[in-house]
Amino acid sequence: MDKSIVERFSKLDTTSVSDAMDSIGKPCGLLGLKPVNPGTVICGRAFTVHYTPCGEVKGTVGDYLDDIAAGDVVVIDNGGRDYCTVWGDLMTIVADRNKVAGTVIDGVCRDIPTVRKLGYPLYSKGCYMVTGKDRVFVDYTGKPVSISGVQVKPGDIIIADDTGVICVPAELEEKLIGIAESIAEKEGRIEAAVRSGASLKAARESVGYHSLQTKK
């Protein structure tokens, strides 16, 4: 996959990319995910992981971290469960050592002191100390998952910052990058104009601000 496009997306914030996705009528926001370490950012391709509840036969919580390439993003679908965690200190240590770009979880995490000490980019729906072992297990990796009702496929681009987390489908990335860069450039022109004393109305009108994210 094209690494140069990931590099270009890494220079953008989630709001510009979200507006670009709106302009083509595609959902991208992964609602409810927040940074454990404010100020950390993520941009990389998704490595997907799916958890399901245990039955009589207990499954493993997974050693999939050994299979993730440096620069990729762990995307965990734990069905939004808040009663058990699927990420803790040992996984953070290994992911950080292996230069994984970050982790996003539709669910909760634990061992926050280690996550913060390492400055690891981790986004989740909260924290809770109860282990997922014998409660949930990994039933597959490398297939499409659902995060906050949005499909994430292996290889999709995940972008996260303090505003939230978004997913850019790989099949749309070449179309989206130019739109997002254009929106960011126009937002920059508006900012420069108002800092120079222009009215907000005039600055916005000069770049057609009110139609930037409107579906074409």
Side-chain angles (χ1 to χ4, degrees):
M1 291 186 174
D2 190 345
K3 292 183 178 180
S4 67
I5 288 185
V6 175
E7 177 64 23
R8 288 168 69 185
F9 272 111
S10 73
K11 298 175 182 178
L12 301 172
D13 57 24
T14 55
T15 55
S16 296
V17 180
S18 176
D19 286 353
M21 291 289 284
D22 275 346
S23 76
I24 63 170
K26 298 292 184 181
C28 69
L30 309 184
L31 183 64
L33 275 66
K34 301 182 183 303
V36 172
N37 285 314
T40 57
V41 298
I42 293 173
C43 186
R45 295 196 181 275
F47 180 101
T48 57
V49 182
H50 185 269
Y51 279 81
T52 195
C54 290
E56 288 298 319
V57 178
K58 310 299 182 185
T60 175
V61 291
D63 296 321
Y64 57 82
L65 277 177
D66 298 326
D67 302 324
I68 300 177
D72 283 355
V73 181
V74 186
V75 179
I76 299 175
D77 177 358
N78 193 30
R81 298 178 187 92
D82 58 8
Y83 60 83
C84 66
T85 184
V86 291
W87 190 273
D89 54 356
L90 296 178
M91 300 186 80
T92 300
I93 292 167
V94 173
D96 182 68
R97 182 200 67 190
N98 291 355
K99 302 187 183 307
V100 172
T103 299
V104 300
I105 307 170
D106 191 357
V108 296
C109 58
R110 69 178 190 174
D111 298 317
I112 303 306
T114 299
V115 177
R116 289 183 173 160
K117 180 180 179 180
L118 293 175
Y120 182 74
L122 173 60
Y123 287 69
S124 72
K125 291 187 173 177
C127 54
Y128 196 49
M129 79 296 300
V130 175
T131 181
K133 286 182 284 187
D134 293 335
R135 293 183 173 92
V136 293
F137 70 98
V138 175
D139 59 344
Y140 63 80
T141 64
K143 297 179 182 180
V145 296
S146 175
I147 308 294
S148 298
V150 174
Q151 185 187 72
V152 179
K153 304 183 303 303
D156 287 349
I157 295 178
I158 303 296
I159 306 168
D161 56 27
D162 282 348
T163 304
V165 185
I166 59 178
C167 172
V168 177
E171 66 271 18
L172 296 176
E173 62 188 39
E174 292 187 5
K175 179 178 183 178
L176 261 293
I177 187 60
I179 298 172
E181 288 172 335
S182 175
I183 289 173
E185 187 272 334
K186 289 175 181 177
E187 292 266 6
R189 285 162 54 190
I190 294 171
E191 179 179 345
V194 297
R195 288 186 181 277
S196 297
S199 71
L200 180 60
K201 180 179 180 180
R204 283 176 166 174
E205 287 180 345
S206 70
V207 301
Y209 172 81
H210 294 293
S211 63
L212 290 182
Q213 74 280 7
T214 303
K215 184 178 179 182
K216 304 301 187 291

